[in-house]
Amino acid sequence: MNVSWVHPGFVLILGAWLVPFLKGTTKRAFLVALPAAALVASLLMAPGTYGIVRFVGQEVVFGRVDPLSLVFCYVFALMALVGMIYALHVEDDAQHMAALTYAGSALGATLAGDFLSLFLFWELMAVSAALIVWLRRKPEAGAAGFRYLLVHVFGGLCLLGGIVLHWSQTGSLAFSDMSPYAGSAAFTLILIAFLLNAAVPPLGAWLPDAYPEATVTGAVFLTAFTTKSAVYTLIRGFAGTEVLMWWGAGMAVYGVVYAVLENDARRLLAYHIISQVGYMVCGVGIGTALALNGSSAHAFAHILYKAVLFMGAGAVLQMTGLRKLSDMGGLYKTMPITLGLYMVGAFAISAVPLFSGFVSKSMVVSAAGESHMRWVFLMLTLASSGTFLHTGLKLPYYMFFGRDSARPRGRELGVRGKEPPRNMLLAMGLAAAACVLIGVFPDLLYRHLPNPVDYAPYTLHHVTSTLGILGFTALGFFLLLKHLDPEPKISLDTDWFYRRGAAPLLKFARGPLARLESGFVGEIYDFVMKRPVLAVANLLHNLDTGVVDAVALSVGRVTQAFSKVLKTTVSGNAQHYGLIMAAGIVALLVIAMLAS
């Protein structure tokens, strides 16, 4: 290990275990200082290879630092800091430990230079994310967290199987461009694992299933790391895989369509995560320098503006207890700061000029245009319009404006809700400021992208065409407002299959599978495991009674005899003690002289 290099992921993971030992102000200061230290460690990293460990004849690399890993490390560490500020008021050590471990695992996966270290952090990320969901401590959260873990265990098994096959074929565990192995089983299994974490349909229903069931603060962390670390691995290993271009474009539209049907505020935002990650996956599939820069830049921008959006929805949930749009309304008077900060995130995700999404999302769309992918370009543009319709217009309108749903119950307009704690507003303010800063000064982000950037977002054509699309979308929203009223209903997604599939699986487990287990598998277990284990246990029992007990008994007898000898020297007479000490000194002198 190079002592001049500090792994920012280990800073968070190891530091998380100190949280329970701290109290009060000291704990809150530590919770902020820890991700701040990880951010500083990320900013101080220089390109190179660090943390190399030899294992089973392979190099395990914990620190591959290059422009691609650096840009993701910066935003992951920054998000850990903002998220922890948002969660400072929470008096639950387990939540803080899980969140810090989750963020640290994402940093570890980003810096992993080989498949083994990547797999270790990948699985730690899955377990800590499931804990974040479970720590809401509600039955629905427990079920969602369990489903989340099952899905990601499946993804982890795909990744492990692909790694083993790749190792057997190449003799190497190095994680790099996988295109030379396209079409192989290892290539396919690893790609499936990455696509699952990226929430690519039909493998992505776990995201809107689990994220809305997490705690208010935990959901903010969940939005940042799993899908974006998967985008990083796709850029690293699968750039230019054409199927990803079409999959990503379809994903962008898919998320928008499902968001149309949603009434739950956080579930609506969760589907927009799928839509926005679609732009990144599409950029990976296009594979040009501009497209890969766009995927990296949009991942950076998305983490920040999506955090603002989830923090805003979470603040409303915490202060009112409401999560359904059909139950909300009239909060603009009591939560104006929350509304203002939320709208910054809404403008950013909608790619409004002067906000971060405008300078990142447009890179992927422009890359599709430059590559003459007309249908892809059209799908991405359509998805962008839908994003503004639902995240920028529908959600804030029904959450903060619209009809106050409290009035029919005899309550005055605006009585419900108040601004959340100051730490929550501060976190939202920091992330919102970053959205504006990147939008106004895009070179702050562009200079850190993996490839040299030759792209100017603020051209007259780009600005006017974007404003035109947004303007017509807003006009359509207000003309069709009566038809967009949210309704309390449930949207079926591909999670229906594994939700409903449990019943026949249990029936099969109790029937043919149980008979197979008690018959064929039971015989194998009896022959392979039970008999050898009982034989070894019998041998150890005989060894214990025949040898170990005999030795222990002999030692006891010797000790007892020696104690009787010592007893004779304990007379209580000081002269006797003096003689014994003198005899001992003489004996030591004789030994010293003989030795010399």
Side-chain angles (χ1 to χ4, degrees), residues 368-369 371-379:
S371 300
H372 306 291
M373 303 296 179
R374 295 185 181 88
W375 285 105
V376 173
F377 180 87
L378 180 62
M379 293 168 73

Side-chain angles (χ1 to χ4, degrees), residues 405-413 415:
S405 58
R407 297 186 71 180
R409 295 190 291 271
R411 301 173 67 179
E412 296 298 327
L413 179 67
V415 226

Side-chain angles (χ1 to χ4, degrees), residues 544-557:
D544 177 64
T545 56
V547 179
V548 178
D549 287 353
V551 171
L553 186 61
S554 300
V555 172
R557 288 172 179 170

Side-chain angles (χ1 to χ4, degrees), residues 132-155:
I132 290 175
V133 179
W134 281 329
L135 285 170
R136 185 171 165 233
R137 298 180 175 89
K138 298 286 184 181
E140 56 272 21
F146 185 67
R147 290 190 295 269
Y148 179 97
L149 190 60
L150 284 177
V151 170
H152 284 272
V153 164
F154 169 75

Side-chain angles (χ1 to χ4, degrees), residues 51-73:
I52 301 174
V53 178
R54 299 290 298 183
F55 180 74
V56 293
Q58 297 285 328
E59 283 191 349
V60 178
V61 181
F62 287 97
R64 174 174 51 193
V65 182
D66 60 18
L68 178 59
S69 60
L70 278 174
V71 70
F72 279 86
C73 281

Side-chain angles (χ1 to χ4, degrees), residues 286-340:
I286 295 172
T288 62
L290 177 60
L292 296 178
N293 277 340
S295 295
S296 304
H298 200 47
F300 193 106
H302 177 267
I303 287 173
L304 295 172
Y305 64 62
K306 184 57 71 172
V308 176
L309 296 172
F310 259 84
M311 285 191 281
V316 171
L317 173 61
Q318 175 157 316
M319 304 313 296
T320 67
L322 301 175
R323 54 188 291 178
K324 305 288 187 182
L325 295 179
S326 56
D327 296 333
M328 298 181 187
L331 294 174
Y332 70 97
K333 288 188 177 180
T334 56
M335 304 182 73
I337 301 176
T338 302
L339 168 61

Side-chain angles (χ1 to χ4, degrees), residues 451-467:
N451 301 301
V453 178
D454 181 19
Y455 180 74
Y458 287 105
T459 63
L460 180 61
H461 172 73
H462 185 208
V463 172
T464 54
S465 62
T466 299
L467 291 176

